[in-house]
Amino acid sequence: MEENLIIDVTISNLPFINPEYIFDIYIIIKINSIKNNYCQFLKFLEYFYKTYLIDYDMKFWNYYNNMEYITKNASESLNNYLNNLFPTKPSFYELIDKLNELEHLSYYDYQRKIR
């Protein structure tokens, strides 16, 4: 059971590990899973490998060099972002206008990244 926990913690830490070491860590996790006969977890590892290590660009999910936006929960992150965006309380219309602008920026940013 303890080794299972170690594997889970290792997988959940991959977004924060230097990308140079992720494939090595993946191999270590896979070897330990095979050794301990974790069949279901091996299926997940294959999915993870194909999806996040091969098909998906690691720079979109790995935060090793970009810890600026990481917090312990999403609402705290959003709150910090909004506090930086609006140092003083905006009017309702200013808020709506700025949020609309940000929505378009994030969409264009996403489109640019996937090309």
Side-chain angles (χ1 to χ4, degrees), residues 53-114:
L53 299 181
I54 301 300
D55 293 342
Y56 204 75
D57 193 341
M58 206 178 299
K59 70 181 177 187
F60 294 124
W61 61 264
N62 185 280
Y63 291 95
Y64 176 76
N65 290 320
N66 188 10
M67 295 294 225
E68 174 178 339
Y69 298 106
I70 301 298
T71 63
K72 292 192 185 226
N73 71 42
S75 60
E76 182 183 332
S77 179
L78 177 62
N79 186 45
N80 287 336
Y81 178 73
L82 291 174
N83 283 335
N84 289 330
L85 192 61
F86 301 107
T88 59
K89 188 175 179 180
S91 73
F92 176 75
Y93 296 106
E94 289 172 329
L95 174 65
I96 298 300
D97 187 48
K98 191 65 172 177
L99 292 177
N100 279 332
E101 178 185 328
L102 291 172
E103 179 182 17
H104 293 297
L105 288 176
S106 61
Y107 173 77
Y108 294 129
D109 188 43
Y110 172 75
Q111 290 298 320
R112 186 175 43 85
K113 285 182 178 179
I114 62 171

Side-chain angles (χ1 to χ4, degrees), residues 13-78:
N13 287 331
L14 284 178
F16 310 106
I17 294 173
N18 186 333
E20 294 178 19
Y21 304 120
I22 288 182
F23 283 100
D24 295 334
I25 292 170
Y26 168 81
I27 296 299
I28 291 168
I29 294 169
K30 187 169 183 175
I31 289 169
N32 285 334
S33 298
I34 291 169
K35 183 175 75 175
N36 292 300
N37 200 25
Y38 296 145
C39 298
Q40 288 297 104
F41 193 74
L42 284 167
K43 290 178 185 178
F44 168 75
L45 279 178
E46 284 305 308
Y47 163 78
F48 180 84
Y49 178 78
K50 289 175 186 170
T51 304
Y52 293 101
L53 299 181
I54 301 300
D55 293 342
Y56 204 75
D57 193 341
M58 206 178 299
K59 70 181 177 187
F60 294 124
W61 61 264
N62 185 280
Y63 291 95
Y64 176 76
N65 290 320
N66 188 10
M67 295 294 225
E68 174 178 339
Y69 298 106
I70 301 298
T71 63
K72 292 192 185 226
N73 71 42
S75 60
E76 182 183 332
S77 179
L78 177 62

